[in-house]
Amino acid sequence: MQGMSVAAQRVWRTLVMGVLVGLLVFLACASWLQYARADLDFLRATLSLYLHGPHGLLLRIAYCVLAVAIALLGWALYSELRGAARRGLPAVLFSMAGLGLAAVAIGDSWLPQYAPLLAPLVHGLAAQTAFLCVTVAMLLQAWCFSRDSRWRALHRWAWWWAWLTFAGLWLHVLWRESPRGLGQKLVIVMVVGWLLMVALALWRRLHKEPAETTGSGHNGSHIQPRETSP
């Protein structure tokens, strides 16, 4: 995050750490529910079915935590990337994915009781928006990595992982005879895994940048020049 004050960099490091924690909390919650909800078939029950019944509130909260983490990661990457690699569209799509995910969690909290006919429509549109926006954002963001020399090493992993996730999503959508629960959960794991990989790389990058900047001649107002021996 070139040109930022030290205080601003600390804020971003804290936020990215929060993203990592949020992603791990979601994974832990969703994984635990696979064992806690013995009434649901792991292979056939999609994750959205766990939003209702025992521990449903816990998963709805985890959905909202994940939604915030996705949006924050998108804008943190936008702030970090430079030059031709900095594109606003991935951040916007990540934010839309977060809004869609939050709409699923919040809508499923009260719509089934107060608007039972509307609830399936809202849930379907919000869930489709979340999946489509996040996978397209992953592809675009991975492409942007190739245009920043500092992120180019991550480009290949992020690019092919994003394509595999995108293909997995459409396989799940089009192959109606597949185990619906297992297919959806695999796509979710691939999405969250990609987000974790990128968030961890960003967190490391934010801790590395101040050391790089110290000797670069930039941000001179924040870094005192070091004495050199004659």
Side-chain angles (χ1 to χ4, degrees), residues 7-21 72 203 206-207:
Q9 289 182 343
R10 287 174 180 169
V11 170
W12 275 115
R13 284 199 294 269
T14 303
L15 289 175
V16 173
M17 175 56 70
V19 168
L20 285 167
V21 172
L72 275 178
W203 184 78
L206 291 174
H207 279 72

Side-chain angles (χ1 to χ4, degrees), residues 72-95:
L72 275 178
L73 179 59
W75 289 109
L77 288 168
Y78 173 78
S79 298
E80 163 63 15
L81 292 166
R82 301 175 187 171
R86 176 178 284 187
R87 292 290 184 266
L89 184 56
V92 171
L93 288 173
F94 278 128
S95 298

Side-chain angles (χ1 to χ4, degrees), residues 4-226:
M4 276 194 178
S5 66
V6 174
Q9 289 182 343
R10 287 174 180 169
V11 170
W12 275 115
R13 284 199 294 269
T14 303
L15 289 175
V16 173
M17 175 56 70
V19 168
L20 285 167
V21 172
L23 294 171
L24 291 173
V25 164
F26 171 79
L27 274 182
C29 177
S31 299
W32 174 73
L33 283 174
Q34 306 310 303
Y35 299 94
R37 293 293 303 273
D39 57 314
L40 295 174
D41 184 355
F42 169 80
L43 295 177
R44 299 189 178 279
T46 59
L47 195 59
S48 58
L49 293 178
Y50 295 76
L51 293 169
H52 308 281
H55 314 298
L57 177 60
L58 181 63
L59 185 60
R60 291 197 292 271
I61 293 173
Y63 265 43
C64 291
V65 169
L66 178 60
V68 173
I70 292 172
L72 275 178
L73 179 59
W75 289 109
L77 288 168
Y78 173 78
S79 298
E80 163 63 15
L81 292 166
R82 301 175 187 171
R86 176 178 284 187
R87 292 290 184 266
L89 184 56
V92 171
L93 288 173
F94 278 128
S95 298
M96 290 178 63
L99 286 174
L101 191 59
V104 170
I106 296 171
D108 276 32
S109 297
W110 59 273
L111 272 179
Q113 290 78 29
Y114 294 99
L117 297 179
L118 183 61
L121 176 62
V122 172
H123 178 98
L125 289 176
Q128 290 169 16
T129 297
F131 272 117
L132 187 60
C133 286
V134 76
T135 50
V136 173
M138 287 162 57
L139 286 168
L140 291 174
Q141 193 69 77
W143 175 80
C144 289
F145 291 155
S146 69
R147 302 176 70 82
D148 189 325
S149 59
R150 301 167 307 130
W151 284 84
R152 202 163 288 149
L154 188 65
H155 163 67
R156 181 174 297 179
W157 273 102
W159 178 248
W160 290 112
W161 193 328
W163 269 115
L164 188 60
T165 305
F166 188 75
L169 172 62
W170 283 103
L171 179 64
H172 169 70
V173 170
L174 298 175
W175 185 18
R176 304 304 296 179
E177 293 77 19
S178 65
R180 306 307 295 163
L182 181 61
Q184 188 213 45
K185 290 166 190 174
L186 285 175
V187 172
I188 291 172
V189 167
M190 293 176 71
V191 168
V192 178
W194 188 96
L195 296 172
L196 273 171
M197 176 184 68
V198 172
L200 182 59
L202 177 58
W203 184 78
R204 288 173 174 169
R205 183 79 223 166
L206 291 174
H207 279 72
K208 184 180 178 182
E209 271 189 346
E212 290 180 343
T213 307
T214 300
S216 66
H218 296 292
N219 296 337
S221 60
H222 302 293
I223 300 172
Q224 297 297 326
R226 294 177 292 182

